[in-house]
Amino acid sequence: MQEEKLTDTASRLLVINLIFREGMLNRSYMPENEVNFSRGLEGVIASQTKIGYIDGLKGHLVYRGYEINSLVENSTYEETAYLLLYGRLPTRSELDDFTSKLKERSSINKETYDVIRRIAGLSHTMSSLRTAVSYIGTHSKLGDKTDYESQEEMGISIIAKMPTIVAAIKRAVNNEDFIEPDPSLSYTENFLYQSFGERKSKEVTRILDSMLLLHADHGMNASTFASMVVISTLSDMYSAITAGISALKGPLHGGANERALKMIMSIGSPEKVPEAIGRMLESKEKIMGFGHRVYKVYDPRAKIVKTYADQLTKGTPLRKVYETAIKIEDYMIERLGSKGIFPNVDFYSGIAYKAIGFEPELFTPIFAVSRITGWVARDLEYLTNNRIFRPRSEYIGESEIKSYIPIERR
Ligand code: ACO
């Protein structure tokens, strides 16, 4: 039998699965707490994918068979987005068509700009982003359609609009006029142009493009999973992406780079690091930008982003921040490296974004400008073999059935 070839854990899961399917679960021979329990679903495989994989012990990140370093060296954000979405590198004409599609869909209407202006500064920029994407969904003609083609069209449209929305949020926060997308520019050039009102150097544009490419997909992380859970109900792509944005906002996920930079800047200089970080560790604080659920070695993305932070801060007032970060890394590796705690991608990305000219409140929205492709690609892939997500929780509450006591007698 095929089951004989499976490992103990896999056979156990198979048996449990069969028992559930047949509706045979009965506390007398299968107590609920015997079902495999994994806090935070750590290690649980809940879907199959051809999009990418992470080797957390060797420090590899692969998109559709290509190592991330080779994509950073040779590819662009648009080309990598095509690869993630369609499974292979495009030909020249396929890439031109895809890029044109993105450009055609990159504008947002006046009402959306108005909403962004009205809510600017009321709460975190990620809340503005969540609201803007959700708002666009309310006037999409496809919003209620659940067929694959409509979901794909919605996904491409959101990818295309993401830089426009995030740049608009930046300008609204700073009380500046909005700048509409320029169809002669690439995805990243347009994002920079709409954000700053001018074109940045080739070097800065290339670095930001690579950073967007590096963050585009990363397994079934919290925001990707949140988005997949929503799409698995056959809800629409706008709702799924809004869920992804909501999850990315949290400081344990996308919000870490903003906090990491604030922490590095508040420490101020390399010589203050041992005392400041030592104190934080004593009080069991998590050091933002360190540790990862999957990587137990140096995050390969962090290695690359560190070189960008180095390049961008040379000869600038941010150099001291970079040097302080280097000292924090050395100190943390000495203290926690043996536990598999190393810098993650968020540790140096804040310094690089700041050196480009973005303020910390924009860091997580920039992450979304990149990760949008991973969300859409994984949502679409999941739809091709959809099964609604429905894990269970282990009940550890009262075991006795109680009699109801009327409120006046409690
Ligand atoms: N600072 C200090 N100690 C840490 C850190 C940290 N950043 N991360 C983990 N540890 C400690 C844990 O407390 C644990 O200690 P213990 O053995 O005494 O209990 C030990 O190291 C092992 O931790 P893990 O179980 O490997 O961590 P887990 O997988 O639960 O958490 C997480 C991963 C949430 C990313 C965590 O490392 C963290 O909170 N980091 C800071 C936030 C951050 O940088 N998030 C960005 C992640 S990357 C991304 O989302 C793009």
Side-chain angles (χ1 to χ4, degrees):
M1 260 173 78
Q2 204 190 353
E3 289 93 294
E4 282 164 12
K5 292 186 200 145
L6 297 171
T7 62
D8 282 348
T9 317
S11 337
R12 210 167 114 78
L13 282 173
L14 185 76
V15 171
I16 290 165
N17 199 5
L18 286 174
I19 290 169
F20 277 114
R21 285 226 189 144
E22 300 308 315
M24 283 157 46
L25 183 75
N26 173 333
R27 288 186 68 90
S28 63
Y29 67 90
M30 177 59 80
E32 246 181 288
N33 61 12
E34 274 194 20
V35 174
N36 269 18
F37 166 52
S38 172
R39 217 164 137 246
L41 295 180
E42 185 167 4
V44 172
I45 294 174
S47 76
Q48 293 182 311
T49 183
K50 292 181 179 167
I51 292 176
Y53 81 89
I54 306 163
D55 185 332
L57 295 179
K58 293 200 182 119
H60 289 298
L61 171 60
V62 174
Y63 293 171
R64 301 274 191 191
Y66 295 89
E67 187 90 47
I68 196 72
N69 299 56
S70 103
L71 291 170
V72 163
E73 269 166 41
N74 301 298
S75 187
T76 62
Y77 184 77
E78 288 96 326
E79 187 184 57
T80 299
Y82 186 101
L83 172 72
L84 288 168
L85 289 163
Y86 302 112
R88 58 177 175 79
L89 287 170
T91 61
R92 167 62 55 202
S93 73
E94 284 169 338
L95 181 60
D96 290 346
D97 285 352
F98 179 64
T99 308
S100 305
K101 242 182 172 182
L102 291 178
K103 288 179 178 175
E104 280 159 22
R105 289 156 179 76
S106 62
S107 301
I108 54 176
N109 62 19
K110 184 178 173 313
E111 289 76 28
T112 309
Y113 277 121
D114 288 346
V115 167
I116 291 172
R117 176 80 70 200
R118 230 175 20 248
I119 61 178
L122 292 181
S123 62
H124 196 276
T125 47
M126 282 299 276
S127 304
S128 294
L129 178 59
R130 186 189 63 216
T131 305
V133 170
S134 179
Y135 180 73
I136 291 172
T138 61
H139 50 258
S140 160
K141 288 186 196 76
L142 300 170
D144 290 329
K145 299 218 169 126
T146 56
D147 61 286
Y148 186 91
E149 285 67 31
S150 301
Q151 298 280 23
E152 183 183 0
E153 175 51 40
M154 285 183 260
I156 300 292
S157 178
I158 309 172
I159 295 173
K161 289 175 175 40
M162 211 61 156
T164 307
I165 300 169
V166 172
I169 291 170
K170 176 188 181 297
R171 296 190 73 81
V173 168
N174 297 333
N175 233 339
E176 295 165 331
D177 289 341
F178 295 124
I179 296 174
E180 293 187 11
D182 175 344
S184 71
L185 303 178
S186 74
Y187 194 79
T188 303
E189 284 171 337
N190 234 323
F191 179 42
L192 287 166
Y193 168 65
Q194 291 179 90
S195 297
F196 296 103
E198 60 182 23
R199 297 193 50 190
K200 292 272 181 186
S201 69
K202 267 200 174 128
E203 185 206 9
V204 165
T205 308
R206 177 69 195 153
I207 286 179
L208 183 61
D209 195 69
S210 299
M211 287 183 68
L212 295 182
L213 184 163
L214 267 179
H215 288 82
D217 183 68
H218 205 242
M220 212 154 147
N221 54 80
S223 57
T224 302
F225 182 43
S227 188
M228 288 168 68
V229 168
V230 174
I231 212 75
S232 82
T233 68
L234 297 187
S235 182
D236 67 289
M237 192 59 84
Y238 289 96
S239 304
I241 298 306
T242 304
I245 293 169
S246 307
L248 190 68
K249 182 182 175 203
L252 296 188
H253 190 13
N257 57 6
E258 186 180 336
R259 294 183 184 222
L261 181 66
K262 283 184 183 156
M263 175 199 69
I264 303 165
M265 291 180 99
S266 76
I267 292 176
S269 61
E271 59 283 2
K272 294 189 183 147
V273 165
E275 204 265 322
I277 299 289
R279 203 169 355 99
M280 290 167 82
L281 291 178
E282 293 315 305
S283 56
K284 299 266 173 238
E285 256 181 79
K286 287 264 168 41
I287 311 300
M288 291 294 136
F290 283 86
H292 199 276
R293 178 53 63 81
V294 182
Y295 292 118
K296 298 304 166 198
V297 293
Y298 211 117
D299 180 337
R301 303 166 302 169
K303 272 189 201 161
I304 299 171
V305 175
K306 183 178 173 183
T307 67
Y308 295 154
D310 180 18
Q311 233 172 297
L312 290 165
T313 56
K314 270 192 188 124
T316 76
L318 279 171
R319 193 62 187 171
K320 204 165 175 191
V321 177
Y322 174 75
E323 285 164 4
T324 307
I326 294 285
K327 180 74 188 171
I328 297 174
E329 172 183 329
D330 292 345
Y331 183 82
M332 281 292 285
I333 293 179
E334 200 186 310
R335 291 278 306 261
L336 293 177
S338 58
K339 279 190 179 179
I341 306 295
F342 293 91
N344 60 50
V345 70
D346 283 333
F347 188 60
Y348 289 103
S349 65
I351 300 176
Y353 292 143
K354 175 84 179 154
I356 292 172
F358 290 106
E359 289 307 318
E361 69 263 19
L362 253 289
F363 295 172
T364 319
I366 297 171
F367 195 155
V369 170
S370 160
R371 185 55 58 84
I372 179 63
T373 298
W375 291 332
V376 172
R378 290 197 180 241
D379 286 347
L380 290 174
E381 181 186 58
Y382 196 73
L383 281 175
T384 61
N385 189 18
N386 190 50
R387 183 167 173 81
I388 189 168
F389 282 100
R390 180 59 171 91
R392 300 169 63 240
S393 53
E394 180 190 357
Y395 180 68
I396 55 165
E398 296 276 357
S399 54
E400 297 292 315
I401 299 295
K402 298 177 176 177
S403 313
Y404 180 83
I405 305 169
I407 194 160
E408 54 285 355
R409 282 182 30 220
R410 280 174 228 159

